[in-house]
Amino acid sequence: MSSAAAEDTVWIGFMDIVPVIGTVKEAVELVLALYEGNKAVIKEKEKATENFVKESLKKQLKAKHVKKLTLPDKPAAAADEVSGLRNVREVRKEMIIEYMGKGSKRGTKPLTPAQQKERQKRVEAINKDMLEKIHILDKNFNQELKEQLERSQRGEHVFNNGILTFHFSVLTEFIQSYHIDNLRGYSQQTMDTLGRHTLTQNTAEDIQTNMVVHFGEDEFYVNANAVVYGEYCRALRGALLDVLRHINADDVTEEERQRVNFVVDNMNNLEIYVDQLAKVKWIASNANRQARFEQVRQEVANMYKTDRGLDWCIRVLREVAPLFEHGH
């Protein structure tokens, strides 16, 4: 780039939506690094800026035309992790206003203290709700939620995707624990059928790909569902395996039967497998989506309670028990 061309451009980065403009790239990056608190990058950019000043002074003293000093375009490893530095761009002066309009859209508007306080209240309310649901199973459970600032590229599922594979994984664990697949008469096809979810194809597709939302960087989101659903899955897995480990269905105790039903009933009544924030965003006052949500919820609830509940365990045992009589 010629010196004349260099004088016609500036470097621009953003602190959220606030622009940082300068003629020296490293100086702009230093400001962003200070704002974002990346100590490794701060140290690097301070050195780079110091070197630039030294070179500029040499140029003035020698009165010699030299090319504009540039450090390698690739940021340091520490800088790669800082979004503000990754987005520093060289822009022609006449394009500054237009670029600022585009660039600022990628950032988020800083929250006022009142907004921050309100969001914290929402986090606390969600955390309280989460703990109340989990304490039904485990009174000693304690975990603090935080607002999710990072956004998932795949989006957030209204219904937890794990619904589609949970029972298959439970059955697989049971089969492997007792080496049932080594027994004479074992049928993989039968077990695959018993392990498969009982949802319709349309419902499975909706859960997996259609009932998904993407939260913007400026939108509030807390992933409480991952914690709640995870704890309930752990409890249900244990309850189902406690029933299955008897091999003989007649040996299953009443307490073990009630435990399965207790966990399942709470999962269904409290919509444990639903991400409530994603649900609200996906439905968005749309009557058709509200109706579809209810259809899927009913189908999922029926699967957990009837098709893949306590009776499912008994069906599995009726298939497995005779295999032990045949032996290897």
Side-chain angles (χ1 to χ4, degrees):
M1 183 184 292
S2 68
S3 60
E7 293 174 357
D8 290 334
T9 64
V10 293
W11 293 92
I12 302 180
F14 290 88
M15 299 186 303
D16 292 327
I17 64 171
V18 179
V20 179
I21 305 174
T23 57
V24 181
K25 180 183 180 184
E26 289 74 24
V28 172
E29 290 177 330
L30 175 58
V31 173
L32 293 174
L34 287 166
Y35 171 70
E36 293 169 340
N38 191 317
K39 294 181 180 180
V41 181
I42 291 172
K43 186 176 181 180
E44 177 206 347
K45 298 305 172 184
E46 283 178 339
K47 184 65 176 177
T49 303
E50 180 182 341
N51 289 340
F52 182 87
V53 172
K54 288 180 180 178
E55 289 296 325
S56 297
L57 289 174
K58 288 180 182 179
K59 181 181 68 172
Q60 293 175 10
L61 291 172
K62 293 180 180 180
K64 185 186 295 184
H65 175 73
V66 293
K67 291 183 178 181
K68 179 182 177 183
L69 173 67
T70 58
L71 293 181
D73 289 336
K74 186 181 185 303
D80 285 338
E81 302 173 2
V82 184
S83 62
L85 273 66
R86 284 204 308 266
N87 288 282
V88 173
R89 296 289 182 270
E90 190 174 20
V91 179
R92 294 185 63 82
K93 290 180 179 178
E94 65 267 23
M95 302 295 292
I96 289 177
I97 295 178
E98 180 179 345
Y99 181 79
M100 284 172 57
K102 293 178 179 179
S104 64
K105 292 178 181 177
R106 68 162 194 83
T108 57
K109 187 177 181 180
L111 297 176
T112 65
Q115 289 173 324
Q116 291 177 342
K117 186 176 181 180
E118 181 61 31
R119 286 171 90 110
Q120 183 57 36
K121 283 184 178 179
R122 292 185 68 184
V123 173
E124 291 171 359
I126 292 173
N127 195 81
K128 181 175 181 291
D129 178 71
M130 176 194 75
L131 291 176
E132 287 177 350
K133 290 175 179 176
I134 295 177
H135 285 167
I136 294 173
L137 304 176
D138 179 6
K139 295 185 182 300
N140 296 320
F141 180 88
N142 186 36
Q143 181 172 327
E144 290 294 322
L145 288 173
K146 293 182 179 179
E147 182 177 352
Q148 301 292 121
L149 300 179
E150 294 295 326
R151 294 292 175 253
S152 170
Q153 294 297 314
R154 64 174 176 78
E156 308 302 336
H157 290 74
V158 176
F159 286 86
N160 197 294
N161 228 11
I163 289 171
L164 304 177
T165 57
F166 174 75
H167 292 88
F168 177 82
S169 68
V170 171
L171 187 56
T172 299
E173 182 176 345
F174 169 60
I175 291 170
Q176 292 177 347
S177 296
Y178 292 90
H179 306 289
I180 296 171
D181 49 344
N182 292 331
L183 297 176
R184 184 157 56 90
Y186 173 81
S187 170
Q188 186 63 54
Q189 183 177 359
T190 299
M191 291 300 137
D192 285 345
T193 300
L194 282 169
R196 193 175 299 121
H197 67 75
T198 60
L199 305 173
T200 63
Q201 183 177 346
N202 286 342
T203 293
E205 287 179 357
D206 278 348
I207 290 174
Q208 195 166 31
T209 61
N210 299 327
M211 300 179 80
V212 180
V213 295
H214 292 268
F215 287 86
E217 292 183 2
D218 59 337
E219 291 183 280
F220 175 83
Y221 182 69
V222 176
N223 191 9
N225 177 252
V227 181
V228 179
Y229 181 74
E231 289 301 311
Y232 269 79
C233 279
R234 192 172 1 264
L236 183 57
R237 178 184 296 271
L240 294 173
L241 289 173
D242 281 346
V243 171
L244 293 172
R245 69 181 172 82
H246 286 290
I247 306 301
N248 188 334
D250 295 334
D251 293 338
V252 179
T253 68
E254 183 61 27
E255 182 180 356
E256 289 166 335
R257 293 169 182 264
Q258 290 180 1
R259 179 61 178 175
V260 171
N261 288 330
F262 176 77
V263 178
V264 168
D265 287 344
N266 277 288
M267 287 187 79
N268 285 336
N269 295 337
L270 300 174
E271 297 183 355
I272 295 298
Y273 32 71
V274 174
D275 185 325
Q276 296 298 329
L277 291 177
K279 167 189 171 182
V280 171
K281 183 176 175 64
W282 186 77
I283 293 176
S285 301
N286 183 308
N288 290 333
R289 287 193 169 187
Q290 176 68 52
R292 181 53 183 155
F293 171 83
E294 289 299 330
Q295 290 174 348
V296 174
R297 188 187 65 78
Q298 287 289 348
E299 198 172 328
V300 170
N302 183 68
M303 179 180 75
Y304 272 102
K305 181 64 177 179
T306 306
D307 300 329
R308 290 292 179 263
L310 177 62
D311 290 343
W312 171 71
C313 290
I314 303 304
R315 290 201 302 276
V316 171
L317 294 182
R318 299 295 185 206
E319 290 287 340
V320 167
L323 301 181
F324 284 88
E325 296 174 4
H326 296 152
H328 294 274

